[in-house]
Amino acid sequence: MNLPSSTIERLERAADTSTGVRFVGASVTTNGRPELVSWRQLHDEARAVGAALQARGLAPGDHVAVLGPTSRALMTVVRGCWMAGIASMVLPLPMRMGSLEAFIESTRGRIRHGDASLVLIDDQLAAFYEPAPGDPPIEPMGAVLPGAPGVPSGDALVIPPPDPERLVILQYTSGSTSEPKGVMIPDRVLTANVDACVDAAGMDEAETMVSWLPLYHDMGLVGFLAIPMTRGIDLVQAAPQDFLAHPGNWMQWISDWRGTATAGPNFAWVLATRALKRMKGLDLSSLTLAL
């Protein structure tokens, strides 16, 4: 397949497919009901996000820190950053509320180290993060989404020229064994990574990928968001907390939506195996790739 060279061109191409993302799980849906959003709709909303960022003075090459749970809004903001030529910095969430002070300190360190020009934070988390002298501007994530006051239409987005060396992602390591490090992923590296993954896995555009992985982790952000979003592959997306609350949900989503590819860390497969022993009526025969 002859693919465009840049991430932006690939996003535009994928928006013309008939595929999209299906949000499942109580944390990412309204009233717990699955919601299907076409890549075209998400793309148009992301263009408005990109235009809103440009209206705030951000330019290609700038970095935007994004702090929020897995959601349609988070995915739209990430795509909007990429469409505007802005690098996304999706930041980890606190694992335990008891370590809130350490979380705020580490988050501030990443924001400053990553030279973020703007911080977009989920409304539910805004109360936990107080700006300090030296911080970049902080806004609620909803302020750049379509429908918010002052957000221009997607037609106002100025698409930057291709630049294979421009950063698309600034990916921070977990910092579990050392100080967090920012990994710089330029356009040419992201597209090469996506292509290598697709080729090695023998994937095609008829796949249905199923993921609950966090979007601040490379397996979630690159493996299970960038790939379907730039290749026009169907995605079933849940949130980590939806899996952790009921590990069997993962297998149920694969069965319900005929998932062909999924992934998770070792402990997740252990939990899912235990859950399977208590479940009946599943059909996992569609699954051909499990990482």
Side-chain angles (χ1 to χ4, degrees):
M1 179 189 302
N2 293 323
L3 293 170
S5 59
S6 76
T7 297
I8 292 176
E9 292 170 319
R10 291 181 179 209
L11 289 170
E12 293 189 309
R13 175 186 176 277
D16 290 330
T17 64
S18 59
T19 53
V21 53
R22 189 182 304 275
F23 294 98
V24 298
S27 299
V28 294
T29 58
T30 303
N31 298 323
R33 298 175 181 173
E35 178 185 16
L36 178 62
V37 181
S38 69
W39 287 128
R40 164 52 62 189
Q41 184 175 349
L42 199 77
H43 185 69
D44 291 344
E45 293 171 0
R47 286 182 60 95
V49 170
L53 296 175
Q54 291 178 343
R56 285 160 170 77
L58 275 74
D62 284 341
H63 308 160
V64 169
V66 189
L67 183 63
T70 300
S71 65
R72 176 177 175 177
L74 179 62
M75 292 173 61
T76 306
V77 166
V78 168
R79 188 173 182 134
C81 287
W82 296 356
M83 287 301 300
I86 294 167
S88 64
M89 297 167 49
V90 182
L91 301 175
L93 297 176
M95 293 296 99
R96 299 175 302 277
M97 295 309 291
S99 59
L100 191 57
E101 290 185 4
F103 159 70
I104 293 173
E105 182 179 351
S106 64
T107 298
R108 179 166 285 117
R110 289 182 174 95
I111 289 170
R112 293 182 177 179
H113 183 270
D115 193 25
S117 299
L118 176 68
V119 179
L120 295 175
I121 187 168
D122 184 86
D123 294 354
Q124 297 177 358
L125 296 174
F128 295 104
Y129 190 91
E130 291 292 332
D135 281 351
I138 299 175
E139 291 193 57
M141 199 181 300
V144 299
L145 293 172
V151 172
S153 72
D155 294 338
L157 176 67
V158 178
I159 299 292
D163 180 356
E165 300 301 326
R166 186 170 56 230
L167 293 192
V168 179
I169 297 170
L170 188 54
Q171 176 76 52
Y172 272 86
T173 59
S174 66
S176 57
T177 58
S178 64
E179 286 299 310
K181 298 176 178 63
V183 179
M184 299 182 291
I185 304 177
D187 199 315
R188 63 177 177 80
V189 172
L190 179 62
T191 55
N193 190 185
V194 166
D195 292 346
C197 290
V198 170
D199 291 344
M203 299 178 68
D204 58 37
E205 293 176 352
E207 308 285 347
T208 296
M209 303 178 72
V210 180
S211 178
W212 51 265
L213 299 168
L215 298 181
Y216 55 79
H217 189 282
D218 59 308
M219 185 177 282
L221 181 62
V222 177
F224 279 79
L225 182 59
I227 287 178
M229 202 157 69
T230 61
R231 287 296 193 110
I233 293 173
D234 277 316
L235 171 66
V236 176
Q237 181 71 57
Q241 57 267 38
D242 295 317
F243 163 76
L244 292 171
H246 300 285
N249 284 343
W250 185 15
M251 300 296 106
Q252 190 70 57
W253 298 323
I254 294 170
S255 178
D256 288 347
W257 307 111
R258 311 304 297 147
T260 62
T262 194
N266 290 357
F267 80 86
W269 291 104
V270 173
L271 294 176
T273 300
R274 292 173 182 169
L276 278 173
K277 295 176 180 178
R278 302 186 298 271
M279 301 176 72
K280 296 181 180 180
L282 296 182
D283 180 359
L284 304 180
S285 62
S286 60
L287 189 64
T288 58
L289 178 66
L291 299 177

